[in-house]
Amino acid sequence: MVKKSGKKRSATAGWEGRAADALRVGPGFDLGELDTSATPGFDGDDAAGEALMKRLGRRLSDLQEMLYAEGRSGGTRAVLLVLQGMDTSGKGGISRHVLGMVDPQGVTVRAFGVPTEEERRHHYLWRIRRALPQPGRIGVFDRSHYEDVLVVRVDGLVEDDPWLERYEEIIRFERETEAARITVLKCALMISPHEQLERLSERLTRPDKFWKYNPSDLDVRAKWDDYMHAYQDVFDHTSTASAPWHVIPADHKWYARLAVTQLLVDTLEDMNLTWPAADFDLDAERARLARMLEETP
Ligand code: ADP
């Protein structure tokens, strides 16, 4: 699209600066102050958001292909998108709508539920380590190791209070992950209790949504304040310079999806991906092809 000024619009038109600057958890962040219906950093409406989403989708697809090509050519880099949020916050929608815009063979989505018997026999990071993305891939964690300092804490599923120890352990784990050339992008989708009620009600009125409803969702909801307290602690203790948290107001699904897409595009852009050079003799192959074309009647 061309603006009246004749200048080409940038792929990020609509954002005031980088999305991460508006969403990153910094010192003094207070979850209690968050307006979950806001659209921080983006000055457009839903229609502008959707138009931008289309452009970003194309860019995301190109960048993902470059990452995949790098991985196929011996590169070891990968990206891990960690998604956290209360029930109905839209984590599943991110996998479908954002990652749905790229080639599925370059993406691995892993949802973490209640640990299986086998998983319970191991350290809580065991199942997480096994699910880290392979080189060239974008991995998505729909819930993650953070459940072990959220639901496990709120429901008192372990003895004592290992939280401070676990935050340190998680920071070390994420550092190791980054050292293994996997860039970690952490996003928490936050909705209001009212918005969650609307979404849960919808699950009970629409037959195409019944399958998503779980009676235990209402029990979790009853512990809302405990969860918010646990989330605040997670943000205070595990938002590091190399793997900061991004808190995304998610009452507007279009905004949450746009924000995650922009963060993912920016993350990939920052990796300075390039197409791998040919690992064969380009001139010789071109000459061979030219000969074949000549010989073809
Ligand atoms: P979702 O609600 O994300 O669509 P599920 O209905 O399978 O998916 O719910 C996953 C459940 O597993 C959530 O209630 C979550 O809190 C729980 N869970 C995830 N990780 C753990 C864990 N480490 N320990 C206990 N419960 C967990």
Side-chain angles (χ1 to χ4, degrees), residues 151-164:
V151 65
V152 173
R153 178 178 182 183
V154 171
D155 284 356
L157 301 180
V158 290
E159 285 174 16
D160 306 322
D161 285 331
W163 320 123
L164 287 177

Side-chain angles (χ1 to χ4, degrees), residues 73-94:
S73 311
T76 54
R77 292 191 295 177
V79 171
L80 173 64
L81 171 64
V82 172
L83 294 173
Q84 281 294 151
M86 301 292 281
D87 292 321
T88 77
S89 59
K91 301 183 295 296
I94 297 289

